[in-house]
Amino acid sequence: MGRILKKQDVLEMIYGACLMGGGGGGSLENGLSLLEAFDKETGISMEMISVDEIPAGKYVGTCGGFGSPQKYKELGANCTACPTSAYHALQRMGYTLNRHVSYLMALEYGALNMMLPFMVANGEHIPLVDADGTGRAVPSIQTLLYGANDVPITPYVFTDPDENITIMYPSDCLNFAHLDKASRFLCQASDMVAGCAFGIVTADDIRDNLAPGAYTCAQNVGKALIRARDGGTDVMDELKKATPCKEFFRGTVTKFGLESKGGWDWGSVYFDGAEEYKGKQYHLDYQNETLVLWEGDSHVLMTAPDMICAVDLDTGLPVSNADFQEGMNCLILGIPAHKNWFKSPKGIQNWQNHFDVIGYKGEVVRF
């Protein structure tokens, strides 16, 4: 028997997962609206088990949202149909493969993408696993930890808002780039909102290659954010008690660009430094998730796969790239990615295409 999660637990996890999404995974507003809809509809009392509690011979599926975080934000609480229908299709495929899906986990961190599997698991009356497929949010299928550590995710299920189902079996079960390319075309045909389900995996797969303990970690970070906000303490002092992290700067958003295309949100956010950082300029470049953080025009402070994270200093709330507004006073900090990102060279190499797309030609800069 695992933990029984209540509303406060899930709220803390949303805050932590939003921060540790590294800019992606959906907006905080979207995640909180789902939480309220979830609580109003059924009340929140659901089981979450640890990876060590998964019995031998049992399998875990993964599901979540796919596409533009901004488009999902516009849908509000009306965005659960896609991942639910994807999960149903994955479950049927599991039966045909004699790999029955008994549990569910999230594909990534983020305020939205940690809530969607919660709601699917609750609706299907199956336990959620304290794990996810990345330990951060990612801009493509090939940048999941599955791809970094050669964990096959076929059969891969993609669904659109009309519950049309596409099941993909590439000739090479590790061809994550093909799955992502095909999904982007399908996503553009469905107004950049879709669902996916995949990765019928074992406890050993999760423990050795993915991100076990992800939501316990997110909850600890969420509690730290709440302590700082409610207690009037400095947010960095509280966050350092919950996770390794470092402050890059505090400043005000001066310009924010956003374009939704190709199944992604693209843009840059510019800041003027404040307090001890006054007189300095910073900006971050993102493709759903933040890829590169700059001081000035030439000095790179950090890149993905480590997480570049933001907190609204006026509200104490975490900020995704779908939440920035001009004039917002922010703290920008870094959090190291899960150790499983660095088991294989692919953990860094698989980000190169995204660096190329935004025109970044430099090296990966670690935490």
Side-chain angles (χ1 to χ4, degrees):
M1 181 68 177
R3 293 174 57 195
I4 301 300
L5 302 179
K6 299 295 186 180
K7 183 178 181 180
Q8 183 64 24
D9 297 306
V10 181
L11 175 66
E12 292 161 356
M13 290 176 182
I14 290 174
Y15 283 171
C18 181
L19 184 73
M20 299 179 74
S27 78
L28 181 62
E29 178 185 329
N30 210 172
L32 294 177
S33 70
L34 283 180
L35 176 65
E36 293 305 319
F38 184 11
D39 187 42
K40 183 177 180 179
E41 182 177 350
T42 65
I44 298 175
S45 181
M46 61 180 299
E47 183 181 4
M48 184 177 75
I49 66 170
S50 71
V51 173
D52 293 335
E53 291 175 297
I54 300 171
K58 297 293 185 179
Y59 296 95
V60 184
T62 301
C63 79
F66 190 101
S68 161
Q70 184 63 34
K71 293 289 186 179
Y72 261 102
K73 183 178 180 180
E74 292 168 9
L75 285 175
N78 301 313
C79 60
T80 58
C82 290
T84 300
S85 61
Y87 164 76
H88 287 159
L90 183 72
Q91 188 181 51
R92 293 194 295 272
M93 294 303 300
Y95 279 119
T96 68
L97 298 170
N98 198 29
R99 293 168 71 91
H100 173 58
V101 178
S102 301
Y103 308 99
L104 196 61
M105 61 184 260
L107 67 90
E108 65 177 3
Y109 271 156
L112 173 64
N113 255 340
M114 67 85 52
M115 270 305 299
L116 290 173
F118 270 62
M119 297 185 75
V120 175
N122 184 69
E124 300 302 316
H125 307 292
I126 59 173
L128 190 77
V129 175
D130 183 10
D132 76 19
T134 64
R136 54 158 299 136
V138 294
S140 63
I141 294 169
Q142 61 264 41
T143 47
L144 293 166
L145 271 172
Y146 298 84
N149 293 323
D150 290 344
V151 179
I153 64 173
T154 52
Y156 173 86
V157 179
F158 183 96
T159 58
D160 67 16
D162 294 323
E163 299 190 29
N164 296 308
I165 297 169
T166 302
I167 299 172
M168 302 183 203
Y169 277 100
S171 58
D172 177 356
C173 67
L174 297 177
N175 191 344
F176 297 91
H178 171 79
L179 290 172
D180 189 76
K181 185 176 182 180
S183 296
R184 295 291 160 191
F185 282 116
L186 290 168
C187 190
Q188 290 177 73
S190 61
D191 197 29
M192 295 195 289
V193 172
C196 58
F198 53 80
I200 304 175
V201 297
T202 66
D204 285 343
D205 291 326
I206 298 170
R207 188 181 298 110
D208 296 341
N209 296 302
L210 304 178
Y215 287 100
T216 294
C217 181
Q219 185 172 16
N220 290 337
V221 169
K223 287 180 176 179
L225 290 168
I226 292 170
R227 283 198 306 270
R229 182 193 66 190
D230 295 349
T233 54
D234 186 80
V235 65
M236 281 302 299
D237 290 343
E238 298 296 344
L239 286 171
K240 286 176 181 178
K241 299 173 186 176
T243 188
C245 58
K246 63 182 177 184
E247 178 174 324
F248 287 120
F249 68 89
R250 301 179 189 220
T252 302
V253 177
T254 58
K255 185 168 64 172
F256 173 60
L258 169 67
E259 182 179 5
S260 296
K261 63 177 182 178
W264 286 286
D265 289 345
W266 304 69
S268 299
V269 186
Y270 292 82
F271 305 84
D272 280 347
E275 301 174 18
E276 63 187 278
Y277 308 99
K278 190 174 179 61
K280 297 181 179 180
Q281 283 74 47
Y282 304 87
H283 72 276
L284 57 85
D285 297 321
Y286 69 89
Q287 185 183 16
N288 282 15
E289 286 69 35
T290 301
L291 299 175
V292 185
L293 177 65
W294 301 81
E295 179 181 334
D297 294 327
S298 58
H299 178 50
V300 176
L301 296 172
M302 201 169 79
T303 69
D306 291 318
M307 288 97 82
I308 299 162
C309 311
V311 177
D312 182 337
L313 289 170
D314 294 326
T315 65
L317 297 176
V319 180
S320 80
N321 291 332
D323 299 316
F324 280 115
Q325 297 179 15
E326 291 185 12
M328 183 179 282
N329 297 311
C330 293
L331 160 70
I332 306 298
L333 67 143
I335 298 177
H338 193 282
K339 64 180 182 180
N340 281 342
W341 274 102
F342 308 105
K343 286 183 60 177
S344 160
K346 290 183 180 179
I348 290 176
Q349 292 169 358
N350 288 357
W351 290 84
Q352 189 58 52
N353 180 60
H354 298 287
F355 292 138
D356 290 344
V357 166
I358 66 166
Y360 178 64
K361 304 299 183 183
E363 300 293 323
V364 166
V365 178
R366 294 282 308 275
F367 174 82

